[in-house]
Amino acid sequence: MAPTNSASDHHIDMLKKYIDYHCWITKAKEKGRFFRIAATGNFSKLKKELKKRGFIEQIYLPSESVYFTMPNSILLEEAQRGNEYERALVAKIIGKRPPDFIWVARAPSYMMLGKISLLNKIYIKGSNFGVKNDMLKYIQRIRETDKREALLKYPRSYNMCDRGAQTAFQRDFRMTAAIGLVKFLHDQKKAIKEWFTAEREDGVETAKIYGLDLAIHLILMHVKHADGNLSNEDLARCCSFTEQQWQQMLDAHQHVVKHKRRIHASNEQRDDYVARIKMIAPDIPQYFKKQKHDGIHNIWMMKPCYSCQGAGIILSDNEKHILHWVNSHRGRYVVQKYIERPFLIYNCKFDLRQYYLVTMDNEYVRFWSHWLCTCKLASEEFSFDDFNEQKHITNTTVQRRYKRENTENLPYHHMWSIHTLIDHFEKMGRPDVYDKKIYPTIKHVLRMISKVVVENIELKVGRFELFGCDWLITDDYSTYLLEINRCPSLYYYTPVSEYVVGKIFEDLIRVVVDFKEDKKASTE
């Protein structure tokens, strides 16, 4: 029996369909246009940009998949552009040929994918600038070698795995407490004398005058040393106190600054100490420039060296608590000075997530910075009443745990676009501060970092990696680098992050694919 015309036409249609697929795949093969995404996240924009350039997605088709056992004829019959049948059919036609472009989640995949033409991981030899404790080594190198290192603002930090660093942290903690106490009292202006009392009230605890005396002495000795009037040995001798004496100074800071208790002193002592405070406090900004944005509360952050997304971060203003915590966890923490003077958006703290790309081609290792940022907001108003993460830890993963209703000024999802932030700066009378001060600082700091990390990057053509940089803006519009994150989250958490991540992917492909093939291609 001869086949009907309809059956014959269908057979011809399927043959044409198969030929079309085969030609499409052959063309992509010749141009090196197969890609695979081996990571979880929102990669729809990345896939779209690759497909616009003729790339075909090559999925991994496990043997236990129902599509694996289906005959190609059925897959061809059901295949429509972008559906699972087409994806399975394409995977079978391509076979075991490795992709030309792979996006993986973690760096350990690097060694196993050595023959891939384009891979989104670089190999960092030795110190990894995407890890908190290793980043400190690069910061130190910049401070030692770059004449413009003052432009790099990075919170004072200590790798607590090192006993020497623990000792340095203690010195810094105590110096910061002394400065905080003196600054707090000086800031009281005409009311400063009210913070001293000659009376002892029942049930009301006061601070001891000796703690303030030691704080003033500590500052004066460091000023003399900075002026060249005191040697290193003399400074160490003049600032050598017993642990009991140090504790009295730390207690005085806590009693006065945190608990708002007065200092017990006679009227004569009060007048003497007020005069000494007024004499020394105005010199603090000149002699202690790195403490400019410290504030007065002496708060520090404990950050686990190898965690991300805000996990395990603890704030504390207690030296003993900090040292006990890090030592009970084998020192695997970086302790970092908390910046107590952040720029606030409607009384909420925020930081910026900005992106930094490293690429390699036949000529150079190239470093790219993106103008676009997300503005990550805390879910509660900023205060020093407590150290709740809702107020102080602005990582998106942390803040997503807390719900807030939309208000007139702030969204429920705790995120602004950079355009909204710039509009806010304009309302504050600084419309150009991002483009003329903040972002130029970001670019300059990343340029400094690029210069010191490049020697630790293995030079292999076709390797690239996207990093997420977190920046804090202070109340006077200074810009601090907080950290550089390897494997930044690329999920569409909010409408803002969906736009930003999508734009980052779009421009990344312009650099990684278009610019690689044509150096005249636009990367703007």
Side-chain angles (χ1 to χ4, degrees), residues 37 60 134 235 246 351 421 423-424 457 465 470 516 521:
I37 307 297
Y60 170 67
D134 282 353
L235 176 66
W246 282 118
D351 71 34
L421 179 61
D423 289 344
H424 184 72
I457 296 174
E465 189 159 349
D470 291 330
K516 175 178 177 289

Side-chain angles (χ1 to χ4, degrees), residues 134 208 260 265 303 363 368 371 375 396 443 451 462 518:
D134 282 353
K208 295 179 180 179
K260 303 299 184 286
K303 294 183 173 182
E363 297 178 292
W368 310 76
W371 178 91
C375 177
T396 301
K443 288 197 295 182
K451 288 179 180 178
D518 178 7

Side-chain angles (χ1 to χ4, degrees), residues 228-483:
N229 297 323
L230 208 62
S231 67
N232 291 340
E233 294 77 13
D234 288 339
L235 176 66
R237 179 177 53 80
C238 291
C239 298
S240 178
F241 307 109
T242 66
E243 283 303 308
Q244 182 180 6
Q245 290 171 319
W246 282 118
Q247 194 58 51
Q248 286 179 318
M249 194 267 291
L250 295 176
D251 288 344
H253 173 269
Q254 287 274 304
H255 287 325
V256 176
V257 177
K258 185 174 184 176
H259 301 297
K260 303 299 184 286
R261 295 168 183 161
R262 294 193 289 175
I263 300 169
H264 184 257
S266 67
N267 290 341
E268 184 179 351
Q269 286 177 316
R270 176 200 64 194
D271 293 342
D272 176 51
Y273 280 96
V274 168
R276 293 168 67 185
I277 289 169
K278 289 182 177 180
M279 177 193 71
I280 194 172
D283 290 335
I284 288 176
Q286 176 186 349
Y287 287 95
F288 300 93
K289 293 179 181 178
K290 291 183 179 180
Q291 281 87 345
K292 181 178 180 180
H293 299 102
D294 277 8
I296 57 173
H297 297 274
N298 203 18
I299 301 168
W300 294 74
M301 302 180 79
M302 292 178 275
K303 294 183 173 182
C305 292
Y306 302 104
S307 72
C308 57
Q309 299 181 333
I313 295 178
I314 300 171
L315 272 65
S316 178
D317 58 2
N318 186 295
E319 179 193 276
K320 290 182 178 178
H321 171 240
I322 293 171
L323 291 174
H324 173 74
W325 182 268
V326 298
N327 287 324
S328 64
H329 291 78
R330 299 182 181 179
R332 294 174 181 169
Y333 276 79
V334 165
V335 173
Q336 187 175 81
K337 182 64 187 73
Y338 184 71
I339 305 301
E340 298 177 20
R341 290 176 47 192
F343 185 95
L344 301 179
I345 297 176
Y346 298 107
N347 295 321
C348 288
K349 182 186 172 185
F350 75 98
D351 71 34
L352 298 177
R353 165 55 59 88
Q354 178 262 343
Y355 295 90
Y356 170 60
L357 177 67
V358 181
T359 66
M360 280 168 265
D361 56 34
N362 291 318
E363 297 178 292
Y364 303 106
V365 179
R366 302 176 193 267
F367 299 88
W368 310 76
S369 171
H370 208 290
W371 178 91
L372 204 58
C373 302
T374 55
C375 177
K376 303 177 294 175
L377 292 149
S379 54
E380 289 189 9
E381 290 190 358
F382 183 79
S383 77
F384 296 110
D385 296 340
D386 54 54
F387 300 150
N388 288 345
E389 62 182 9
Q390 300 98 301
K391 298 177 181 178
H392 299 282
I393 311 299
T394 48
N395 299 69
T396 301
T397 304
V398 171
Q399 293 302 326
R400 288 180 70 236
R401 302 174 194 150
Y402 306 104
K403 301 298 181 183
R404 173 175 60 198
E405 297 297 323
N406 268 331
T407 66
E408 180 181 355
N409 299 311
L410 298 174
Y412 71 93
H413 50 65
H414 321 309
M415 193 174 286
W416 266 8
S417 71
I418 190 61
H419 305 94
T420 305
L421 179 61
I422 290 172
D423 289 344
H424 184 72
F425 285 149
E426 185 172 5
K427 293 176 183 177
M428 304 294 291
R430 298 294 300 271
D432 299 326
V433 71
Y434 182 76
D435 285 323
K436 292 188 176 180
K437 182 176 182 179
I438 295 171
Y439 187 60
T441 299
I442 288 173
K443 288 197 295 182
H444 186 82
V445 170
L446 290 178
R447 191 177 296 116
M448 296 167 82
I449 290 171
S450 301
K451 288 179 180 178
V452 295
V453 304
V454 67
E455 63 189 55
N456 287 70
I457 296 174
E458 182 184 69
L459 307 181
K460 187 174 178 62
V461 175
R463 297 299 174 259
F464 66 95
E465 189 159 349
L466 182 68
F467 296 84
C469 306
D470 291 330
W471 305 86
L472 181 79
I473 312 304
T474 64
D475 56 6
D476 62 356
Y477 302 98
S478 295
T479 305
Y480 276 78
L481 172 64
L482 299 180
E483 58 187 35

Side-chain angles (χ1 to χ4, degrees), residues 11 74 160 198 207 222 506 509:
H11 180 77
I74 296 178
M160 302 301 271
H222 279 79
E506 179 182 337
I509 295 303

